[in-house]
Amino acid sequence: MTIAYWIVAGLLGLFYLYAGGKKVVQSKERLAPMMGWVDTVPMPMVRAIGVMEVLGAAGLVLPPLTGILPGLALAAAIGFTVLQVLATGLHLSRGEVRETGLNVTLIVLAAVEVWLATIWW
């Protein structure tokens, strides 16, 4: 289970570090081609989502790695599950059904991470 936790945490951590980092540093114009929803969301909210994604990526990895407050990894996994459920809702409200495939995959991975974190602690 430990190996499975680290594999899923690594995949989610890398994804959210990359996606969140882009949201934090790139302009709306640079984000829009790959994230069309940024046109309908205020830029401070996009930045806040990016910060949450970067912090969540750190939360999946650093607490279990250091042994300091390892329960934060569970909170990060729950947060990513909720984030992707909301993101799926946003895409569906915009009629972007095709774009929800990645969201569903991330929901499943985050839910697996919740389960792994629950049984690991």
Side-chain angles (χ1 to χ4, degrees):
M1 289 300 173
T2 302
I3 293 170
Y5 176 87
W6 285 111
I7 290 170
V8 177
L11 291 172
L12 286 172
L14 287 173
F15 176 83
Y16 283 111
L17 187 60
Y18 174 75
K22 289 183 89 53
K23 290 177 187 102
V24 169
V25 300
Q26 288 190 339
S27 67
K28 184 180 279 195
E29 293 76 26
R30 299 241 359 237
L31 291 172
M34 68 183 99
M35 299 176 200
W37 58 270
V38 299
D39 290 338
T40 59
V41 176
M43 204 56 194
M45 178 67 82
V46 174
R47 300 271 190 242
I49 292 168
V51 168
M52 286 188 285
E53 289 176 343
V54 170
L55 291 175
L60 285 177
V61 176
L62 293 179
L65 194 62
T66 63
I68 300 170
L69 296 172
L72 289 177
L74 176 60
I78 291 169
F80 283 143
T81 306
V82 171
L83 178 71
Q84 287 306 315
V85 167
L86 295 172
T88 302
L90 175 68
H91 284 301
L92 291 175
S93 74
R94 292 172 43 94
E96 300 170 341
V97 177
R98 289 185 181 187
E99 284 79 0
T100 60
L102 178 60
N103 298 109
V104 171
T105 302
L106 291 169
I107 289 169
V108 169
L109 282 174
V112 166
E113 194 70 355
V114 168
W115 177 70
L116 288 169
T118 302
I119 62 171
W120 192 24
W121 311 126

